[in-house]
Amino acid sequence: MSATLIDGKQVAAALRAQLAARVATLPYTPGLAVVLVGDDPASAVYVRSKDRAAAAAGIAASTIRLPADTSEAALLATIARLNADPAIDGILVQLPVPPQIRQVAVIEAIDPAKDVDGFHPLNVGRLHDGRPGLVPCTPLGVMRLLAHVGVSVRGARALVLGRSAIVGKPMAALLTNADATVTVAHSRTRDLAAECRRAELLVAAVGRAEMVRGDWVANQAVVIDVGINRLPDGRLVGDCATAECATHAAAITPVPGGVGPMTIACLLENTVAASVVRRAGLCPAPHQGSALDPAGA
Ligand code: NAP
C-alpha cells in the first residue's frame, strides 16, 4: 500500500492566499526586515524567495545586506534601529551569522514582539509554558500541514527525531501543547528504529539523508520529513527514504515540496500576526489558533 503524499506547496499557497486576503483588509502595510550578513549563496537564495513571497502577500519586505566582516556591535545597532522603527513588524536575521558575531546576542537583541523567527528566549519560554507567543516557522508549518490534512494530534504517540532549538525542541513543545504524547529522540538515543516504530506520528529533523528507512515506520503512521539534504549528485532528499517509508505510512511529506514551502508561508503568517498584535497594543501574538486571529481563538 502506498501513502498519501502531503502537498506542502499547495497548502503553503493556500495559506499565502489567505494571508494576502487578510493583509488587504488591514489599514497599514505590514513590514518585514530581513538582515543578511555576508554573502553565503544559499542564504541569498532563501532571502530572495522570502522577499518574493512577502511582496505577493502584500507585505513590505526589505533586505539589509551587511558585509561578512560586520562587527557584532554594528549588527546590534542595526537591530536596535529596526526595533525602534514603527513600520517594521517583523525582524529576521538570517542564521548562521559569521563567527565574530555571537548568535545568542543577536537573537536576544530582537524585540520579542517583532521576533518572527520565534527564537527569542521570551518566545521560547512562552511556547514551552503553553502560552501565546511567536513560534519558530518550520515547526509551526508542520502543525499547519497536520491540521490541513486532518491528522488527529490529540492523544497520538508522536516521535520527534532531532532536538535542535530551531526545529526539534519547538516541534516537541507544539505537539505536547496539542495533547500528543511526545518522545524526543537524538544522536544518543538507543535503538532509534524501535522508537520510530512505536510512533503514530513521526517528525524527522536530523539532517541525515534518508536515515529513516521503511521498516522504521509503523503501519499507517503519518511521517513528516523536515530534513533537506543535498546528495553528491545534486539531488535534494529528506531525512526519510520516502518511497520505502510510503509503503508503510498512511501519509508522508515529500522532499522537496513538503515542509519547506510551509516555512516561508509561516514566516509571513508570523509577520502578519506580529503586526496585528503590536499595532493594536495586544500582547502577545497567538500560536495555537489561527495566527490570523489576534484573539487566538
Ligand atoms: P541540527 O541543529 O543539526 O540538529 C539535528 C538533530 O538531529 C540533533 O538534535 C541531533 O542530535 C540529531 N541527530 C543527528 N544525527 C543523528 C543520528 N544519526 N541519529 C539520531 N539523531 C541524530 O539540525 P536542524 O537545524 O534541526 O535541521 C534538521 C534538518 O531539517 C536539516 O536537514 C535541515 O536542513 C532541515 N531544516 C529544514 C527546514 C525547512 O524549512 N524544511 C528548516 C530548518 C531545518 P544531538 O542533539 O544529539 O546532536
Side-chain angles (χ1 to χ4, degrees):
M1 185 178 154
S2 197
T4 303
L5 275 187
I6 301 173
D7 186 347
K9 274 198 266 189
Q10 186 219 318
V11 182
L15 177 55
R16 289 198 310 270
Q18 201 189 343
L19 285 165
R22 176 76 173 101
V23 169
T25 68
L26 296 174
Y28 59 85
T29 303
L32 170 66
V34 177
V35 183
L36 179 60
V37 187
D39 43 19
D40 174 56
S43 292
V45 169
Y46 193 46
V47 166
R48 269 200 302 279
S49 340
K50 285 174 183 167
D51 274 359
R52 267 200 304 272
I59 294 169
S62 49
T63 303
I64 297 159
R65 292 185 167 75
L66 300 174
D69 63 356
T70 298
S71 67
E72 182 178 299
L75 178 55
L76 295 186
T78 300
I79 294 170
R81 183 173 57 74
L82 296 169
N83 283 343
D85 185 340
I88 297 297
D89 298 291
I91 302 169
L92 182 152
V93 178
Q94 186 65 42
L95 301 176
V97 284
Q100 74 277 14
I101 300 173
R102 290 168 305 150
Q103 188 161 299
V104 67
V106 171
I107 289 170
E108 293 191 8
I110 295 172
D111 178 348
K114 299 187 177 188
D115 170 37
V116 284
D117 253 342
F119 297 160
H120 190 284
L122 194 69
N123 284 317
V124 174
R126 284 172 175 155
L127 171 61
H128 286 269
D129 220 13
R131 286 190 290 141
L134 288 161
V135 172
C137 303
T138 300
L140 181 61
V142 171
M143 296 306 285
R144 296 281 177 265
L145 272 183
L146 293 173
H148 181 87
V149 297
V151 172
S152 169
V153 172
R154 175 171 293 171
R157 262 195 319 277
L159 182 95
V160 179
L161 191 40
R163 57 175 167 180
S164 72
I166 292 175
V167 188
K169 282 179 180 151
M171 187 75 252
L174 280 170
L175 288 169
T176 303
N177 294 348
D179 296 328
T181 302
V182 182
T183 301
V184 179
H186 45 75
S187 66
R188 301 287 182 268
T189 298
R190 278 196 305 272
D191 202 350
L192 210 48
E195 292 294 342
C196 289
R197 261 181 233 117
R198 274 193 278 277
E200 295 164 297
L201 170 59
L202 172 59
V203 182
V206 279
R208 299 273 181 265
E210 301 183 321
M211 188 180 88
V212 177
R213 309 308 307 187
D215 63 356
W216 293 27
V217 173
N219 210 19
Q220 294 302 297
V222 172
V223 178
I224 305 291
D225 191 351
V226 178
I228 302 176
N229 310 286
R230 195 167 289 281
L231 296 180
D233 66 9
R235 274 187 311 130
L236 275 187
V237 296
D239 289 340
C240 303
T242 312
E244 277 182 27
C245 292
T247 62
H248 298 262
I252 187 167
T253 55
V255 176
V259 175
M262 294 302 291
T263 297
I264 290 183
C266 285
L267 170 67
L268 305 182
E269 177 179 336
N270 276 350
T271 303
V272 174
S275 80
V276 170
V277 170
R278 188 180 63 85
R279 292 183 191 235
L282 302 170
C283 182
H287 71 265
Q288 283 289 295
S290 168
L292 300 175
D293 172 4

